[in-house]
Amino acid sequence: MTRPMRLLLLTDTAVLAPGGSERFTRNLVCQLPPDRWAIDVLQLIPEPAPERRVVASLDAPHVRLVHWPVGAIYGPQGLAAFARLCARVAAGGYDVIQSQHEKADLMNALLPRLVGGPVRISSRRDMGFQKTDRLRQAFRRLNGRYDRIVAPSRAILDGLVTDEAAAPERLVEIPNGVDTARFRVPDAATRDAARAREGLSPDAFVVLCVASLSPIKRHEDLIAGFATLHAAQPNARLLLAGDGPLADALAAQATALGLGDAVRFLGVRDDVGGLLSAADVFVLASDSEGMSNAILEAQACGLPVVATRVGGNPQLVAEGAEGFLVPARDPAGLARALAACGDPAWRQSAGRRARARIEREHSIPAMAARYDELYRSLLEAPAVLEGALRD
């Protein structure tokens, strides 16, 4: 094609706000070659207030951000937005439509299929923990309307085959990428400065979690496990970066456990790299993860990781070599795993191994190149698309 190809990316979330899928979207659209792609990002949510953004804007002139709040997908606002979307796609000349999250995926699947119309891709970013049985049943009928379904981990794709009857031949695994220039192993001076900014003593054992304070992330298990660790290691400190509906309840839990300033609630931060430089260990206690960008960023900074054995986490954390995996909802297991990270020499070697794997397997340019290759291969394969039209 002589003109730039046009990509419409539909998402339920605001891409300038915090969150893993938001970070994935920013990384992808900014890295796709501007000479080959013109991109519209249609967000089915209101524009976030400036204080709720982790970046002010995208430095990507080939990307246009649009907000269409829809509310309930089957409500008047959602139906009106779908009608608008149909008209936009009919007139927009898009080559590829890619969606992520439930509302966007439903709209993408239900768009009329026309001969010569755009390629349609669903990007599944998590294990589907928000889907009801009714919604899973709907996607069993609709998944065949996508030309491909892409996910960052094998666990997500396996779940789609089992739970949503997705056709294995239409599934593609493309792991997430991380900015290895921004997230890097700190030298001693950088580490000391990062700790000083956070008011941390040089001998503190610093555990960091970067995640929304929402039920799926299970901070209550982490705080309970940390209380056990802190009783044995009074120099341990837990930093919680993120905000969410459980903020007050979690603060009350930490107070009730007598943890005082050993647990610090940092709110949303736009300097996660600096926090990672101050930490000794990264931890994630989630009930569900697709492929955690937060883990990838921690490993890029040379940190060992303690995480729950869910979703894509086992694909990222080599047990004993790069960190430890524990069952979900196991505070005692979290405490034991964090205590096992106490040896500084082991932490350093584990961090080196993790960083080396990130450089090999999880660069943003490599991720974007695989998406670019996928888009172009589908656009050049009319036989595949004609088969999709019959579904």
Side-chain angles (χ1 to χ4, degrees):
M1 297 183 182
T2 55
R3 63 169 176 82
M5 291 175 283
R6 296 198 63 196
L7 167 64
L8 175 61
L9 200 153
L10 297 171
T11 178
D12 292 4
T13 62
V15 302
L16 300 183
S21 68
E22 293 82 355
R23 191 151 61 251
F24 156 77
T25 305
R26 294 193 299 269
N27 289 341
L28 174 62
V29 299
C30 291
Q31 193 66 42
L32 285 171
D35 60 327
R36 287 209 297 270
W37 290 99
I39 303 168
D40 289 343
V41 181
L42 179 51
Q43 302 150 93
L44 305 176
I45 193 170
E47 187 172 359
E51 64 271 15
R52 290 291 304 156
R53 303 178 187 181
V54 292
V55 293
S57 61
L58 295 183
D59 184 18
H62 65 301
V63 180
R64 180 172 58 170
L65 302 182
V66 182
H67 289 270
W68 282 6
V70 300
I73 188 68
Y74 293 119
Q77 203 174 17
L79 295 174
F82 181 67
R84 268 178 90 188
L85 178 63
C86 290
R88 186 187 186 104
V89 170
Y94 291 110
D95 300 288
V96 179
I97 301 174
Q98 179 168 311
S99 54
Q100 58 194 38
H101 306 305
E102 288 77 11
K103 293 178 186 178
D105 274 336
L106 283 171
M107 285 191 172
N108 193 7
L110 293 171
L111 285 169
R113 292 225 60 147
L114 302 171
V115 175
V119 169
R120 291 196 291 188
I121 296 171
S122 171
S123 175
R124 304 297 171 89
R125 308 311 308 165
D126 56 44
M127 297 294 294
F129 64 92
Q130 297 192 84
K131 286 180 180 172
T132 62
D133 288 343
R134 184 178 179 183
L135 196 55
R136 290 183 192 279
Q137 288 284 357
F139 277 108
R140 288 189 185 102
R141 299 176 64 87
L142 294 173
N143 281 335
R145 293 178 63 82
Y146 305 114
D147 298 299
R148 290 294 184 272
I149 300 176
V150 187
S153 73
R154 191 72 245 165
I156 297 176
L157 297 178
D158 290 345
L160 291 173
V161 174
T162 302
D163 299 335
E164 297 184 17
E169 65 272 14
R170 291 194 184 178
L171 305 182
V172 179
E173 180 185 359
I174 302 180
N176 290 347
V178 62
D179 187 342
T180 54
R182 177 185 173 196
F183 296 98
R184 58 186 184 274
V185 180
D187 57 27
T190 300
R191 173 183 165 85
D192 290 346
R195 289 195 161 214
R197 282 195 303 272
E198 301 302 324
L200 298 164
S201 64
D203 66 340
F205 178 57
V206 181
V207 179
L208 173 66
C209 177
V210 181
S212 65
L213 305 183
S214 56
I216 196 68
K217 299 300 183 179
R218 297 297 301 179
H219 287 83
E220 60 266 46
D221 299 333
L222 174 55
I223 292 171
F226 178 78
T228 301
L229 176 73
H230 186 258
Q233 295 182 228
N235 68 327
R237 298 291 181 268
L238 175 60
L239 306 184
L240 301 176
D243 198 2
L246 298 184
D248 291 342
L250 294 170
Q253 179 191 9
T255 299
L257 291 170
L259 292 170
D261 65 357
V263 177
R264 302 183 187 178
F265 293 84
L266 306 180
V268 175
R269 296 283 292 260
D270 59 4
D271 59 341
V272 171
L275 293 176
L276 291 165
S277 295
D280 294 300
V281 181
F282 185 84
V283 63
L284 209 56
S286 313
D287 260 345
S288 179
E289 289 289 340
M291 176 167 280
S292 169
N293 287 288
I295 288 179
L296 292 173
E297 290 168 358
Q299 292 177 320
C301 291
L303 290 181
V305 171
V306 171
T308 43
R309 192 178 287 106
V310 299
N313 288 353
Q315 199 170 326
L316 295 182
V317 182
E319 180 77 24
E322 300 172 359
F324 298 99
L325 296 164
V326 303
R329 304 194 178 208
D330 184 3
L334 288 168
R336 288 192 297 270
L338 290 170
C341 298
D343 178 23
W346 177 84
R347 292 199 301 267
Q348 189 173 42
S349 62
R352 280 199 301 268
R353 286 188 286 269
R355 170 72 191 194
R357 182 177 50 76
I358 292 296
E359 291 177 343
R360 289 193 309 270
E361 302 175 11
H362 292 283
S363 74
I364 291 177
M367 177 192 76
R370 290 190 63 184
Y371 273 95
D372 182 50
E373 180 183 2
L374 173 65
Y375 300 152
R376 290 186 291 113
S377 69
L378 289 173
L379 290 168
E380 295 165 4
V384 173
L385 302 188
E386 287 167 7
L389 286 173
R390 292 193 293 270
D391 289 328

